[in-house]
Protein backbone atom coordinates (compact mmCIF):
# COMPACT_ATOMS: atom_id res chain seq x y z
CA UNK A 1 0.00 0.00 0.00
CA UNK A 2 1.42 3.34 -1.04
CA UNK A 3 0.61 6.05 1.47
CA UNK A 4 1.92 9.60 1.43
CA UNK A 5 4.88 8.85 3.71
CA UNK A 6 6.18 5.93 1.61
CA UNK A 7 5.80 7.98 -1.57
CA UNK A 8 7.75 10.77 0.11
CA UNK A 9 10.58 8.39 1.01
CA UNK A 10 10.72 7.10 -2.57
CA UNK A 11 10.86 10.60 -4.01
CA UNK A 12 13.51 11.72 -1.52
CA UNK A 13 15.68 8.73 -2.39
CA UNK A 14 15.30 9.52 -6.10
CA UNK A 15 16.19 13.17 -5.43
CA UNK A 16 19.24 12.02 -3.47
CA UNK A 17 20.51 10.13 -6.52
CA UNK A 18 19.87 13.20 -8.68
CA UNK A 19 21.64 15.45 -6.17
CA UNK A 20 24.73 13.24 -6.29
CA UNK A 21 24.43 13.21 -10.10
CA UNK A 22 23.80 9.47 -10.17
CA UNK A 23 21.40 9.54 -13.08
CA UNK A 24 21.33 9.82 -16.83
CA UNK A 25 18.66 12.16 -18.13
CA UNK A 26 15.33 11.17 -16.61
CA UNK A 27 16.26 7.58 -15.87
CA UNK A 28 18.35 5.81 -13.28
CA UNK A 29 20.86 3.07 -14.00
CA UNK A 30 20.74 -0.34 -12.35
CA UNK A 31 23.23 0.84 -9.72
CA UNK A 32 21.14 3.90 -8.85
CA UNK A 33 17.99 1.77 -8.60
CA UNK A 34 19.86 -0.58 -6.28
CA UNK A 35 20.80 2.43 -4.11
CA UNK A 36 17.21 3.70 -4.10
CA UNK A 37 15.84 0.22 -3.41
CA UNK A 38 18.07 -0.54 -0.44
CA UNK A 39 17.67 2.92 1.13
CA UNK A 40 13.89 2.88 0.63
CA UNK A 41 13.44 -0.53 2.25
CA UNK A 42 15.77 0.40 5.12
CA UNK A 43 13.92 3.65 5.85
CA UNK A 44 10.39 2.28 5.49
CA UNK A 45 10.91 -1.18 6.94
CA UNK A 46 9.17 -2.60 3.88
CA UNK A 47 10.46 -5.21 1.48
CA UNK A 48 9.33 -3.86 -1.87
CA UNK A 49 10.99 -5.15 -5.01
CA UNK A 50 12.94 -2.76 -7.18
CA UNK A 51 10.36 -3.23 -9.96
CA UNK A 52 7.60 -2.02 -7.62
CA UNK A 53 9.52 1.18 -6.94
CA UNK A 54 10.12 1.75 -10.64
CA UNK A 55 6.46 1.17 -11.44
CA UNK A 56 5.34 3.57 -8.73
CA UNK A 57 7.73 6.28 -9.91
CA UNK A 58 6.49 5.87 -13.49
CA UNK A 59 2.89 6.11 -12.27
CA UNK A 60 3.72 9.30 -10.35
CA UNK A 61 5.35 10.77 -13.48
CA UNK A 62 2.20 10.12 -15.49
CA UNK A 63 0.02 11.70 -12.81
CA UNK A 64 2.32 14.71 -12.62
CA UNK A 65 2.11 15.26 -16.38
CA UNK A 66 -1.70 15.10 -16.24
CA UNK A 67 -1.77 17.49 -13.29
CA UNK A 68 0.51 19.98 -15.07
CA UNK A 69 -1.75 19.82 -18.11
CA UNK A 70 -4.81 20.53 -15.95
CA UNK A 71 -3.34 23.39 -13.95
CA UNK A 72 -1.62 25.29 -16.77
CA UNK A 73 -4.91 26.90 -17.75
CA UNK A 74 -5.61 30.30 -16.23
CA UNK A 75 -9.23 29.50 -15.38
CA UNK A 76 -8.33 26.98 -12.67
CA UNK A 77 -6.72 27.07 -9.26
CA UNK A 78 -5.40 24.75 -6.61
CA UNK A 79 -6.94 24.22 -3.18
CA UNK A 80 -4.02 23.45 -0.81
CA UNK A 81 -6.13 22.01 2.00
CA UNK A 82 -8.12 19.50 -0.06
CA UNK A 83 -5.35 19.06 -2.68
CA UNK A 84 -7.81 19.43 -5.53
CA UNK A 85 -8.07 21.43 -8.73
CA UNK A 86 -10.59 24.26 -8.32
CA UNK A 87 -12.68 24.91 -11.42
CA UNK A 88 -16.25 25.37 -12.55
CA UNK A 89 -18.52 22.42 -13.27
CA UNK A 90 -18.62 23.44 -16.94
CA UNK A 91 -14.82 23.32 -17.12
CA UNK A 92 -14.78 19.88 -15.52
CA UNK A 93 -17.48 18.65 -17.88
CA UNK A 94 -15.20 19.43 -20.83
CA UNK A 95 -12.13 17.97 -19.16
CA UNK A 96 -13.78 14.75 -18.02
CA UNK A 97 -14.04 13.65 -21.62
CA UNK A 98 -10.55 12.37 -20.82
CA UNK A 99 -10.98 9.89 -17.91
CA UNK A 100 -7.38 10.42 -16.73
CA UNK A 101 -8.37 13.84 -15.37
CA UNK A 102 -11.11 12.52 -13.11
CA UNK A 103 -8.82 11.56 -10.20
CA UNK A 104 -7.89 15.21 -9.73
CA UNK A 105 -11.44 16.51 -9.38
CA UNK A 106 -12.06 15.39 -5.80
Amino acid sequence: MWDASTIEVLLKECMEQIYWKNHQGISFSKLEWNNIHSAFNAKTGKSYERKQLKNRLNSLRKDWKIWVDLTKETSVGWHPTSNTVVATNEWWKKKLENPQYEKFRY
Side-chain angles (χ1 to χ4, degrees):
M1 180 60 96
W2 287 93
D3 58 21
S5 62
T6 54
I7 291 171
E8 183 177 0
V9 171
L10 173 61
L11 294 176
K12 283 183 177 182
E13 290 309 315
C14 291
M15 289 187 299
E16 185 78 14
Q17 293 300 310
I18 293 168
Y19 177 78
W20 293 110
K21 301 195 183 343
N22 291 338
H23 66 97
Q24 299 171 353
I26 63 168
S27 62
F28 297 107
S29 71
K30 188 175 181 177
L31 175 62
E32 286 101 34
W33 273 114
N34 286 339
N35 293 341
I36 293 166
H37 178 235
S38 60
F40 174 86
N41 283 340
K43 290 180 180 179
T44 62
K46 300 186 184 291
S47 57
Y48 286 8
E49 297 294 324
R50 192 175 71 193
K51 183 72 173 167
Q52 290 174 287
L53 303 181
K54 291 171 94 171
N55 288 342
R56 185 61 183 156
L57 185 61
N58 288 335
S59 174
L60 291 169
R61 282 182 182 149
K62 288 177 188 175
D63 285 350
W64 179 76
K65 288 177 183 180
I66 294 166
W67 183 82
V68 166
D69 187 44
L70 277 175
T71 59
K72 71 181 175 185
E73 296 184 30
T74 58
S75 61
V76 299
W78 181 254
H79 194 281
T81 306
S82 63
N83 290 326
T84 58
V85 174
V86 179
T88 65
N89 286 334
E90 293 80 25
W91 184 88
W92 275 111
K93 187 175 180 180
K94 288 190 297 187
K95 287 297 181 181
L96 292 180
E97 291 171 1
N98 182 342
Q100 294 178 333
Y101 294 145
E102 190 169 0
K103 71 171 95 181
F104 294 101
R105 186 169 188 181
Y106 301 107

